[in-house]
């Protein structure tokens, strides 16, 4: 009898351990972000902390990546549960654009929310004489990590301006922080960074070097079309920037997959909007996240869990 009880107790322990393991697997949230000097990373860290505290039994981690393209591939492969991505990258992923880094259509991607806009920010050393896109001809520039969302933006902007990488004297494919360091060391003259306003890499660069913020005129943005839109980098965003500068913006999207269960996706959406002040403390770009705009312009379907939240909030009927 004792032996039977022991076996039953052991079986119960194994079953409980298996259930705990399964539950843990269901609530594991890996947040795919970007480089540590960008905007995605601090916001991803804040979200991971919010989810760890607010979702019962959740285990979270943050992964620094090359941003949009890598994030979308990680999510589609089931190696991340949430990721930040530029709207144009999401559209290309859903279509399966091989040149953009998506050999097949990623049809299991689902949206949590349209969030703040990314601004295409081209900055150059003040002594390089670069104030317009045309001035980049014959100059050296870093365009972001290869096949990243930023690099795809760089291609689109130059093409709309009737240019290509061939018009530059030198092209570097580096993340934000490394690009800024090359400018400081006078190894390149300009960098294109697609990020929220006040991105740390450019703020740091402008605190030690005189820079010029390069204008991207509205007519160039119009040639690219949706999801790009004309925007403005306000005066004073960076040290020494005394005037508003026209540029292009494209919305960011928080993306998950259909592998994530409805309740987890619901909680991720709900906690996002219940903690906007905390996200703003992590980075000012979060000030651009608006509940009433969260379902607008999405090139992929909403996750059913996110949709449930938006119906409760009155955003969807």
């Amino acid at each position: 009898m004792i032996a039977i009880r022991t076996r039953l107790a052991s079986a119960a322990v194994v079953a409980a351990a298996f259930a705990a393991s399964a539950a843990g697997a269901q609530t594991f949230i890996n947040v795919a972000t970007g480089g540590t000097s960008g905007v995605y990373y601090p916001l991803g860290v804040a979200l991971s902390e919010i989810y760890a505290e607010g979702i019962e039994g959740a285990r979270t981690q943050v992964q620094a990546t090359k941003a949009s393209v890598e994030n979308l591939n990680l999510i589609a492969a089931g190696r991340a549960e949430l990721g930040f991505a530029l709207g144009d990258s999401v559209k290309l992923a859903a279509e399966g654009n091989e040149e953009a880094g998506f050999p097949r259509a990623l049809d299991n991607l689902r949206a949590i929310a349209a969030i703040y806009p990314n601004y295409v920010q081209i900055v150059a050393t003040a002594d390089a004489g670069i104030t317009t896109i045309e001035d980049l001809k014959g100059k050296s520039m870093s365009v972001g990590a290869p096949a990243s969302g930023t690099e795809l933006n760089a291609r689109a902007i130059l093409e709309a301006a009737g240019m290509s990488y061939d018009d530059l004297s030198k092209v570097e494919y580096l993340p934000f922080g490394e690009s800024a360091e090359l400018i400081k060391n006078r190894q390149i003259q300009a960098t294109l960074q697609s990020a929220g306003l006040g991105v740390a890499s450019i703020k740091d660069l402008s605190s030690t070097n005189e820079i010029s913020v390069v204008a991207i005129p509205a007519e160039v943005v119009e040639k690219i079309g949706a999801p790009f839109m004309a925007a403005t980098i306000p005066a004073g965003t960076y040290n020494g920037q005394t005037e508003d500068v026209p540029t292009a913006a494209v919305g960011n999207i928080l993306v998950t997959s259909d592998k994530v269960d409805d309740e987890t996706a619901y909680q991720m959406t709900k906690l996002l909007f219940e903690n906007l002040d905390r996200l703003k403390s992590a980075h000012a770009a979060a000030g651009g996240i608006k509940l009433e705009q969260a379902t607008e312009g999405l090139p992929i379907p909403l996750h059913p869990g996110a949709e449930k939240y938006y119906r409760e909030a009155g955003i969807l009927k």
Side-chain angles (χ1 to χ4, degrees), residues 50 54 266-279 291 309 312:
I50 290 165
Y266 170 80
Q267 292 293 339
M268 288 196 297
T269 311
K270 184 172 185 285
L271 289 167
L272 164 70
F273 289 103
E274 288 181 349
N275 290 274
L276 289 181
D277 286 343
R278 189 165 168 184
L279 291 172
L291 175 59
Y309 173 76
E312 288 181 359

Side-chain angles (χ1 to χ4, degrees), residues 104-148:
R104 62 176 183 82
L106 304 184
D107 55 10
N108 64 341
L109 299 177
R110 298 292 182 268
I112 290 292
I115 50 174
Y116 66 92
N118 256 25
Y119 292 74
V120 179
Q121 300 168 74
I122 304 176
V123 299
T125 55
D127 59 5
I130 303 171
T131 58
T132 68
I133 297 179
E134 290 74 18
D135 293 336
L136 288 168
K137 290 180 179 178
K139 304 297 196 304
S140 54
M141 182 168 72
S142 177
V143 294
S148 63

Side-chain angles (χ1 to χ4, degrees), residues 72 89-97 102 104-107 109 299-300:
L72 294 168
S89 295
V90 177
K91 182 174 183 290
L92 293 169
E95 294 169 351
N97 187 306
F102 308 107
R104 62 176 183 82
L106 304 184
D107 55 10
L109 299 177
I300 55 174

Side-chain angles (χ1 to χ4, degrees), residues 12-306:
V13 169
V14 170
F18 180 82
S21 174
Q26 290 175 345
T27 55
F28 183 78
I29 303 172
N30 181 31
V31 183
T33 59
T36 55
S37 60
V39 177
Y40 288 171
Y41 187 80
L43 291 182
V45 170
L47 273 179
S48 73
E49 293 171 351
I50 290 165
Y51 293 158
E53 296 166 11
I55 301 176
E56 186 176 356
R59 295 180 297 127
T60 66
Q61 74 172 34
V62 180
Q63 183 173 350
T65 68
K66 294 177 182 177
S68 298
V69 176
E70 183 177 359
N71 292 350
L72 294 168
N73 282 309
L74 285 170
I75 292 165
R79 293 166 56 198
E81 286 65 45
L82 187 72
F84 294 77
L86 283 163
D88 58 326
S89 295
V90 177
K91 182 174 183 290
L92 293 169
E95 294 169 351
N97 187 306
E98 187 168 0
E99 186 179 352
F102 308 107
R104 62 176 183 82
L106 304 184
D107 55 10
N108 64 341
L109 299 177
R110 298 292 182 268
I112 290 292
I115 50 174
Y116 66 92
N118 256 25
Y119 292 74
V120 179
Q121 300 168 74
I122 304 176
V123 299
T125 55
D127 59 5
I130 303 171
T131 58
T132 68
I133 297 179
E134 290 74 18
D135 293 336
L136 288 168
K137 290 180 179 178
K139 304 297 196 304
S140 54
M141 182 168 72
S142 177
V143 294
S148 63
T150 289
E151 202 255 311
L152 296 181
N153 285 180
R155 293 186 214 174
I157 293 294
L158 289 175
E159 183 179 353
M163 297 169 59
S164 71
Y165 292 160
D166 291 339
D167 291 299
L168 306 177
S169 64
K170 180 182 179 182
V171 180
E172 294 284 357
Y173 299 86
L174 294 170
F176 295 172
E178 293 176 43
S179 301
E181 287 302 314
L182 285 188
I183 291 182
K184 289 180 186 179
N185 296 330
R186 308 191 71 80
Q187 292 174 277
I188 58 172
Q189 295 161 298
T191 175
L192 183 148
Q193 304 193 2
S194 186
L197 291 175
V199 61
S201 52
I202 299 178
K203 275 206 160 188
D204 176 63
L205 176 63
S206 70
S207 69
T208 58
N209 293 67
E210 287 188 32
I211 64 168
S212 62
V213 183
V214 180
I216 301 175
E219 55 267 27
V220 170
V221 183
E222 288 169 8
K223 285 182 183 177
I224 307 173
F228 287 83
M229 64 194 91
T232 300
I233 302 172
T237 300
Y238 300 107
N239 287 348
Q241 182 201 344
T242 58
E243 298 180 353
D244 290 351
V245 178
T247 192
V250 59
N252 285 293
I253 301 173
L254 271 178
V255 181
T256 186
S257 82
D258 60 6
K259 297 182 180 73
V260 172
D261 67 84
D262 290 2
E263 179 59 21
T264 300
Y266 170 80
Q267 292 293 339
M268 288 196 297
T269 311
K270 184 172 185 285
L271 289 167
L272 164 70
F273 289 103
E274 288 181 349
N275 290 274
L276 289 181
D277 286 343
R278 189 165 168 184
L279 291 172
K280 290 174 195 173
S281 296
H283 198 286
I289 303 175
K290 309 292 183 185
L291 175 59
E292 60 273 18
Q293 298 171 359
T295 62
E296 296 177 1
L298 297 172
I300 55 174
L302 273 172
H303 192 290

